[in-house]
Amino acid sequence: MSNHNESTSGAETPRTTDFIREIIEEDSRTGKFDGRVLTRFPPEPNGYLHIGHAKSICLNFGLAKQYGGEGNLRFDDTNPIKEEDEYVEAITKDVEWLGFDCTDRILFASDYFDQMHELAVQLIKAGKAYVCDLTAEETRAHRGTLTSPGTNSPHRDRGVEENLDLFERMKAGEFPDGSRTLRAKIDMSSPNLNLRDPVMYRILHASHHRTADKWCVYPMYDWAHGLEDSFEGITHSICTLEFENHRPLYDWFLDELGVFHPQQIEFARLNLTYTVMSKRKLLQLVQENHVAGWDDPRMPTLSGMRRRGYPPEAIRNLCERVGVAKRNNTVEIALLQHCVREHLNKIAPRVMAVLDPLKVVIENYPEGESEQLDAVNNPEDASAGTRKVPFGRELYIERADFMEDPPRKFFRLGPGREVRLRYAYFITCTEYIKDADGQVVELRCTYDPATRGGDAPDGRKVKGTLHWVSAEHGLDAEVRLYEHLFTKEHPDDAKKGEEFIANLNPDSLKVLAGCKVEPSLAGAAAGTGYQFERQGYFCVDPDSKDSQLVFNRTVTLRDAWKKIQKKA
Ligand code: ATP
Ligand code: MG
């Protein structure tokens, strides 16, 4: 199904309608659900949410909002082996962070275990389900293939009484794991493999994160999922394309039981370039320490993106721009970063930070003195006002802003050249000092006091404007730079015999120690975002302390998406 060669063009204008909205509007017109709209987002609590889940959340809760309905956050916790409370908490936090308040609509599939069990008994009584003693392997072998029909289980024609007795004893814990299952009695020769007597219950002596040891039979996903939607009265059960050929099975269960029947609608999963999106693979990255955790800023998880400084508005905007489709495709990660940049450009305060400091001494600036200069907080937002930045005799500028022997087109600093220091003065480099290894370690400059604020009264122009930080007042910081986690656009396309892990980018994290930032950043709270002038957008990491500030680079200022758009 997946077709990642077809990259989405990412429509610039948010879609007003799509095939899902058309179905819902049609249902409202015909009164199918009495005009009700109730959707749900049903994660399995076996990992952290990723941006693909965000797509589903925005869609489901967005539809509920648009049509005056409600959206449930339902934990699909039917598999005790992989599920944990840690995940429930993380998922709830992520959904809220994304901007959807569902605290009063949090539900658990495990709360329906009794009801599901009753309905299973009802199916047995109706002769539509039976206890099967085949092992998992035997069951698979009996199943047949896409081109050949399956074979009936030797236990398929057990009587109702025997089935009820055996199912009761399965539930009572009399039998070991895997020794028996409860199966629906449908059709072993159906062209749809899902209808070949699917397993409804398996025996699993495992403690559940919520029901503890109450159960040792657990419902299979295909039996449970449709029922959960039905119990809650979900009107539109929106899921990804791989469930399309499970729909006839859900229909069969609901119709045989005669219970409320939601409308299932399938749409294409969201995929992103330069990343993987399956929870199993993300878990592997965490467990094998390829990343620092689920919230590592390189991860496509919502917690990783939050730590990286991606605003929830940008993620919602991406989901809207991409829209819903019936065909799988892959979205350029550059489009996500474009959305992030676009939002941060509007809201992020500008500050000055020097990532690779080179010392500058202003020889004609009085020793022991300093002054406060006015700096604009956000040129995109006049209401953000101004702040003071201290200036003194000793400063830091970016090492890359000086060249000993600069070419003509290099508009920054070089011997004898004059540049503007942002919000401050024109300075001219008079001398540079090297260490024993030939590295430039200090510049000696002069400043023109008449250019205070950044303009020369005689109308003299300079081509370059540099950012800087006062050596006396600047704060120490560590800055973490991130690149794509994988070197390949489609990391799952590993070479033969290799795994996606082989495509990890060894340079995806670069830590810069010894950076200098302006003092207004003192005490900035974790998660706060800034534009470091000329460098990109950064945000305060939770590791940050007063003695050592820590920043993550959220995105650079270069917009790769615009380039892609131009080429297209
Ligand atoms: P994974 O394949 O990463 O393990 P999953 O589908 O098994 O994901 P669930 O917890 O079952 O994970 O997902 C909850 C909901 O999120 C499902 O309804 C699923 O359809 C939706 N979803 C998961 N991944 C994506 C995606 N990439 N794009 C859109 N929706 C997704
Ligand atoms: Mg799933």
Side-chain angles (χ1 to χ4, degrees), residues 499-549:
E499 259 213 291
F500 74 101
I501 294 287
N503 293 327
L504 275 167
N505 177 5
D507 302 317
S508 59
L509 167 64
K510 195 168 157 195
V511 178
L512 305 179
C515 307
K516 297 282 179 185
V517 301
E518 64 168 74
S520 73
L521 289 169
T528 318
Y530 297 93
Q531 185 194 98
F532 288 0
E533 295 213 24
R534 299 174 67 221
Q535 310 269 15
Y537 294 96
F538 293 76
C539 90
V540 182
D541 189 81
D543 288 345
S544 195
K545 291 188 290 283
D546 283 349
S547 54
Q548 170 79 15
L549 301 173

Side-chain angles (χ1 to χ4, degrees), residues 109 112-120 201 219 223-224 227-228 231:
Y112 311 137
F113 281 172
D114 281 300
Q115 253 172 297
M116 289 176 191
H117 178 261
E118 274 168 38
L119 291 180
Y201 277 93
W223 162 245
L227 292 183
E228 296 158 22
F231 295 154

Side-chain angles (χ1 to χ4, degrees), residues 166-203:
L166 285 171
F167 188 46
E168 185 53 36
R169 287 162 60 197
M170 279 167 65
K171 178 177 170 243
E174 274 189 40
F175 310 120
D177 287 2
S179 60
R180 288 193 156 91
T181 56
L182 182 74
R183 297 175 67 179
K185 195 169 174 176
I186 309 179
D187 179 4
M188 288 306 292
S189 58
S190 170
N192 184 336
L193 269 68
N194 295 311
L195 294 175
R196 294 186 186 171
D197 291 11
V199 173
M200 296 162 58
Y201 277 93
R202 56 182 172 152
I203 301 174

Side-chain angles (χ1 to χ4, degrees), residues 42-44 46 53 76 221 225 240 242-243 269 279:
E44 186 184 347
N46 63 352
H53 293 117
D76 210 328
Y221 182 88
H225 196 82
T240 40
E242 67 272 23
F243 292 101
R269 299 176 86 83
K279 273 192 276 191

